[in-house]
Amino acid sequence: MKLTSKIHGIIDYVVVVFLLASPSVFPLGEFTSIFTYVLGGIHLALTIGTDFEAGIFKLIAFRIHGVIELIVAVALVALAFYFGSIDGDVARNYYLGFGIAVFVTWLLTDYKSAPAK
């Protein structure tokens, strides 16, 4: 089963809410919390700037959105160990899990499914 661009857009907005709520829900530490808020803002900007059903400004092709998410997924898994060394096991595990979730979403999404103009 592949996720359509419409479903992916819904997931993107849920991810933004999750990221912005996470520092209040998980004991991430100050540095990791700030990074998480910034990442939430960046993900919101990516989502509203993408050319798909959930986008507002439609400046970024959905396929490019996918490339960005793949790069971010790999980076998040790598960063997990850095965050763990600064803010502990919770921060490491949070970003390992989040990076894997972003990768799985990338893997399951049909980046050709955005409606044609």
Side-chain angles (χ1 to χ4, degrees), residues 48-110:
I48 65 174
T50 297
D51 187 7
F52 68 150
E53 295 90 342
I56 296 170
F57 300 109
K58 304 186 185 302
L59 303 170
I60 303 164
F62 189 48
R63 287 184 181 189
I64 300 300
H65 179 110
V67 170
I68 292 168
E69 285 188 338
L70 175 59
I71 293 167
V72 166
V74 172
L76 290 175
V77 169
L79 282 170
F81 296 97
Y82 176 68
F83 293 142
S85 70
I86 295 172
D87 285 333
D89 292 345
V90 173
R92 182 197 65 227
N93 295 341
Y94 174 87
Y95 271 97
L96 272 175
F98 185 60
I100 291 167
V102 172
F103 179 76
V104 169
T105 302
W106 173 83
L107 196 62
L108 294 176
T109 298
D110 178 6

